[in-house]
């Protein structure tokens, strides 16, 4: 089968976004974001999140997370995250390398963390022998496809702020979270007290491009310099900006996410029909995790239909639905899965 469920990064570009890139490819415009495309895209981001926000476009998700976290910390600080977090597991130590901070990875059974888990670590505040807690980063949606509700995000933000800590959201799949929760981005992020957001589009139909959005605008006062130092300043920024403008302007980002989420729900429904296959996490966004018989692993791997994200447990695989996943794609995958467990 041609369709991959290994990652939503495997998908192509949405035709409207490809068209937007082509339209931007006309004439000469100023470089490094001093162009009308970037100005318009920033205004559109502000319409969705907050007119007071500061917006910086970057190349990729790791770059967005590093810029966001470095701008709100100093090298002697500590940053809380879930042990399943992308910043902890999948960014080759880039956040630690470029922030200089110690990461405190908190155990999690569902990809989420709570204020109570951080309380004991606050006892070191003011002690010069220990890294000083300064930030907490959580993902929406999480790395296992689960969701924080707006109330849970507000609880984290309130706890953080009471203790002199900032809250960062890794929102590479924020579109899927907003679509699944049925709220607005402002209700989920701005109104709950989030300080800084990494907001992505690459996994949801864009060619490539992410952003860092400072809801607390004062935190982004030096972000322009840090973005350049981190090699995340695109000289031909108009092509990133044109993507974001089309992605956001008429709701394409939510349309794409809703489609991917609905295909994941359909996939979970079909998977549940198969004996000896278990779904360990609730399917809330565009990801489906499954525990399969050991005998099925080799078959799916040979077919390129197996993506393991936990080396310690090769029987647990992850499927990710993309904006262009169809029911036919899911049905073909199910037939392969049935064949593998026979």
């Amino acid at each position: 089968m041609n369709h991959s469920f290994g990652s939503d990064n495997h998908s192509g570009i949405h035709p409207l976004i490809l068209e937007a890139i082509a339209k931007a490819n006309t004439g000469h415009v100023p470089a490094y974001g001093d162009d009308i495309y970037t100005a318009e895209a920033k205004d559109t981001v502000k319409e969705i999140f907050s007119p007071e926000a500061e917006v910086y476009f970057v190349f990729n998700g790791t770059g967005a997370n590093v810029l966001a976290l470095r701008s709100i910390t100093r090298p002697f600080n500590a940053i809380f995250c879930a042990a399943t977090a992308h910043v902890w597991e999948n960014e080759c130590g880039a956040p630690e390398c470029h922030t200089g901070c110690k990461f405190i990875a908190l155990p999690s059974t569902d990809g989420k963390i709570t204020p109570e888990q951080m309380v004991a670590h606050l006892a070191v505040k003011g002690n010069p022998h220990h890294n000083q807690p300064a930030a907490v980063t959580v993902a929406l949606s999480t790395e296992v496809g689960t969701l924080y509700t707006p109330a849970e995000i507000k609880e984290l933000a309130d706890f953080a702020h009471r203790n002199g800590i900032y809250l960062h959201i890794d929102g590479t799949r924020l579109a899927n979270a907003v679509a699944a929760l049925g709220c607005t981005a402002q209700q989920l992020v701005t109104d709950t007290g989030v300080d800084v957001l990494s907001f992505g589009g690459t996994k949801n139909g864009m060619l490539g491009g992410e952003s860092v959005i400072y809801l607390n605008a004062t935190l982004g006062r030096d972000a322009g310099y840090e973005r350049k130092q981190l090699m995340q300043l695109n000289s031909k920024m108009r092509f990133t900006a044109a993507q974001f403008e089309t992605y956001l302007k008429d709701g394409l980002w939510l349309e794409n996410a809703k489609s991917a989420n609905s295909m994941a729900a359909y996939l979970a429904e079909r998977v549940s029909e198969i004996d000896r296959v278990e779904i360990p996490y609730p399917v809330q966004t565009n990801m489906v995790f499954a525990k399969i018989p050991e005998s099925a692993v080799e078959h799916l791997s040979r077919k390129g239909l197996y993506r393991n994200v936990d080396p310690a447990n090769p029987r647990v695989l992850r499927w990710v639905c993309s904006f262009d996943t169809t029911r036919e794609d899911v049905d073909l995958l199910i037939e392969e899965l049935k064949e593998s467990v026979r």
Side-chain angles (χ1 to χ4, degrees):
M1 59 187 296
N2 293 326
H3 190 93
S4 171
F5 288 85
S7 171
D8 35 12
N9 281 329
H10 294 183
S11 66
I13 310 166
H14 192 282
L16 290 177
I17 291 175
L18 198 57
E19 183 181 324
I21 295 170
K23 286 181 178 178
N25 191 33
T26 303
H28 288 210
V29 302
Y32 301 109
D34 294 326
D35 60 88
I36 188 62
Y37 298 96
T38 302
E40 289 177 349
K42 284 184 175 182
D43 285 343
T44 300
V45 171
K46 291 180 179 184
E47 288 174 10
I48 291 172
F49 291 96
S50 167
E52 307 302 319
E54 289 290 334
V55 184
Y56 294 86
F57 297 124
V58 297
F59 286 112
N60 53 41
T62 296
N65 287 336
V66 168
L67 173 58
L69 292 171
R70 195 173 90 158
S71 62
I72 60 175
T73 59
R74 294 183 67 186
F76 56 79
N77 287 141
I79 300 172
F80 295 109
C81 68
T84 55
H86 199 272
V87 292
W88 176 251
E89 287 282 325
N90 299 108
E91 294 185 351
C92 197
E96 292 175 304
C97 174
H98 293 287
T99 65
C101 295
K102 176 181 180 179
F103 273 65
I104 300 175
L106 303 170
S108 175
T109 58
D110 60 358
K112 296 160 62 174
I113 57 176
T114 65
E116 289 73 23
Q117 291 178 278
M118 294 178 267
V119 171
H121 296 278
L122 299 180
V124 302
K125 291 195 73 172
N127 187 332
H129 300 286
H130 295 271
N131 294 78
Q132 298 297 292
V136 55
T137 175
V138 298
L140 270 172
S141 58
T142 73
E143 287 73 15
V144 296
T146 53
L147 294 170
Y148 290 91
T149 64
E152 288 172 323
I153 293 296
K154 187 176 189 308
E155 183 182 19
L156 283 166
D158 289 347
F159 171 84
H161 297 158
R162 282 197 305 271
N163 291 284
I165 296 173
Y166 296 118
L167 176 61
H168 165 254
I169 299 291
D170 177 352
T172 189
R173 292 189 177 95
L174 186 75
N176 301 93
V178 173
L181 290 166
C183 60
T184 66
Q186 184 170 338
Q187 291 168 335
L188 182 58
V189 176
T190 313
D191 296 346
T192 54
V194 174
D195 295 294
V196 58
L197 165 72
S198 300
F199 177 50
T202 307
K203 298 179 187 296
N204 194 35
M206 282 175 48
L207 165 65
E210 311 287 311
S211 61
V212 178
I213 304 170
Y214 294 91
L215 288 313
N216 181 342
T218 60
L219 297 177
R221 61 183 176 272
D222 294 326
Y225 308 113
E226 291 178 301
R227 176 176 62 173
K228 178 64 175 181
Q229 196 173 64
L230 291 167
M231 298 169 284
Q232 289 292 320
L233 178 60
N234 190 347
S235 58
K236 295 189 177 181
M237 188 71 77
R238 59 171 152 162
F239 297 109
T240 300
Q243 292 179 71
F244 267 107
E245 179 69 5
T246 297
Y247 182 61
L248 298 174
K249 194 64 178 178
D250 295 316
L252 180 62
W253 65 299
L254 293 176
E255 179 184 321
N256 286 354
K258 287 176 182 177
S259 179
N261 289 355
S262 68
M263 287 300 99
Y266 176 59
L267 173 57
E269 178 187 328
R270 295 297 315 276
V271 168
S272 65
E273 300 169 358
I274 303 173
D275 292 337
R276 298 193 297 144
V277 177
E278 304 170 24
I279 297 178
Y281 304 111
V283 178
Q284 297 180 310
T285 53
N286 66 323
M287 289 186 277
V288 178
F289 286 76
K291 187 174 183 180
I292 64 175
E294 189 173 350
S295 58
V297 172
E298 184 179 349
H299 174 87
L300 290 179
S301 178
R302 189 171 60 250
K303 292 278 189 175
L305 299 173
Y306 182 89
R307 173 70 187 275
N308 174 251
V309 292
D310 182 4
N313 195 342
R315 291 179 55 200
V316 175
L317 57 83
R318 183 192 75 175
W319 292 302
V320 187
C321 294
S322 305
F323 74 93
D324 58 352
T325 302
T326 66
R327 291 175 72 92
E328 290 74 20
D329 295 325
V330 171
D331 291 340
L332 286 171
L333 174 61
I334 291 299
E335 290 307 309
E336 292 289 352
L337 180 60
K338 287 180 177 178
E339 177 67 22
S340 72
V341 298
R342 283 196 181 110

